[in-house]
Amino acid sequence: MKLVDALVAGARRRLLGISPEEIRYTFEDVRAEIRAVRAELKQELEAVRKDIDSLPSRQDRPAGPEIPVAEA
């Protein structure tokens, strides 16, 4: 059985150039990198929002969501 497994693994490596285990770990690495980038982007967006809200031109705006003109 080990001989057949070895032959199958060798054939997969020759056909794909990478083993299925390596592909799985590669995808996990990509997912982890995407999660890290998303977390970093959220932090950067929050910093930009704070900077924009601290501008003098934004200080005269009421807090909370705006009421549409049609409902006012």
Side-chain angles (χ1 to χ4, degrees):
M1 204 57 166
K2 289 185 179 185
L3 178 62
V4 174
D5 291 339
L7 288 173
V8 169
R12 283 183 181 162
R13 182 172 278 293
R14 273 185 246 119
L15 288 174
L16 299 175
I18 189 170
S19 71
E21 291 82 20
E22 292 170 328
I23 291 171
R24 184 185 59 190
Y25 290 126
T26 301
F27 278 120
E28 288 175 6
D29 290 342
V30 169
R31 287 183 186 125
E33 185 67 25
I34 289 171
R35 284 187 202 107
V37 169
R38 287 181 69 202
E40 187 177 312
L41 182 61
K42 283 181 182 180
Q43 291 173 350
E44 290 177 8
L45 284 173
E46 186 61 33
V48 169
R49 285 184 182 123
K50 286 181 182 178
D51 289 345
I52 289 173
D53 286 340
S54 67
L55 292 173
S57 63
R58 298 280 291 194
Q59 298 303 318
D60 61 347
R61 302 188 77 186
E66 291 185 22
I67 300 173
V69 175
E71 293 180 14

